[in-house]
Amino acid sequence: AGSRSTTSTRLVAEVARAAPVDDDPASLTAVLLAEEDRRQDERTVAPAQAPDATAPAIAPSRPWTLREAIGVGGRRTVGVLFLLNLVDEFDRAALAVLGPDIQRTFGIGDAALGFLNGIGGVLVFAGAVPFGLLADRRRRVPLVAVASVVWSAFALAGGFARSAVQLGATRIVNGLGKGVTPVHSSLLADAYPAAARGRVFAIHAAANPAGNALGPLLAGGVAALAGGVAGWRWALGLLAVPGLILALVATRIPEPARGRSDREEDAPDEVAGPLPEVDAVADPVSLAAGYERLRQIRSFSALMAGLGALGFAIAGAPTVFNLLLEDRHGLG
């Protein structure tokens, strides 16, 4: 409101200097509107000369150490979201590594097994959009907790499936529930200072390679201890339990105010201590407006195009690779 008031005052002064008007309020209003139309036309004709007033400030006011940044948002937020992202990888690894055992249990072919493994990954992207819309309009912490319970519960239910169709149904709901992962980024962006955001995101993203390394070891170890072809059931069930526990812990994460770190980037001294919980949500930005803004970032568009092409290999390669290891090289 203060910024709008200052802009209006300057505009009135410029108009008064440029063209004297009568004291009639109607005349003054007409001149102000005409001047504003002229400014909008100039901005449309030469957008490169007019700065984007809606662009967030990206220059940090001062450097932040990682310890200071974690102190602002608290260890619980980044720690719990890191662990949720970590255990998210476990059942994916279990389904890929133990694919040949699942294949023998249900008597299905390679194509059906590939479908079971791939459908969950595809639906992660399908679930991201509705979760994003909900996150813009509702409190995000409960959303993360509920979604984590859903995907963990259906990963656990997959161990009790009596047919390939039932297992496929659990993977569909499991994949949709995992679409909540982008909401993690929204919480992290608001909870921690913008100057340290890259490092906080790096901690969260490190859970993916860590989970890809630990998941196969845990899945194979549990299945080997359980013994038999049905050892994969024990692996799916046990590896889902940490997700259920973490979902309950996630309810204790403080809800940061939307856009808080960006708004307070110019006043870092006011950012101190853990974030208080807030009940209010900001006015939502339409999906079309958000997409149009992102589309202007050329590196983002290129990255999305590359991920779209690589996604097919990322989703299908682990299943085929593990079938190859067993069929051609005799590995358990």
Side-chain angles (χ1 to χ4, degrees), residues 260-289:
R260 176 182 183 274
S261 61
D262 289 300
R263 290 196 303 271
E264 296 184 346
E265 182 63 25
D266 292 330
D269 292 337
E270 299 178 8
V271 186
L275 292 175
E277 293 193 17
V278 294
D279 295 323
V281 296
D283 293 335
V285 177
S286 69
L287 185 63

Side-chain angles (χ1 to χ4, degrees), residues 216-273:
L217 296 175
L218 293 173
V222 171
L225 289 174
V229 174
W232 63 269
R233 297 184 183 275
W234 286 95
L236 280 182
L238 291 178
L239 294 181
V241 172
L244 293 171
I245 297 174
L246 287 168
L248 297 177
V249 177
T251 60
R252 305 301 302 168
I253 295 176
E255 178 91 25
R258 298 174 189 276
R260 176 182 183 274
S261 61
D262 289 300
R263 290 196 303 271
E264 296 184 346
E265 182 63 25
D266 292 330
D269 292 337
E270 299 178 8
V271 186

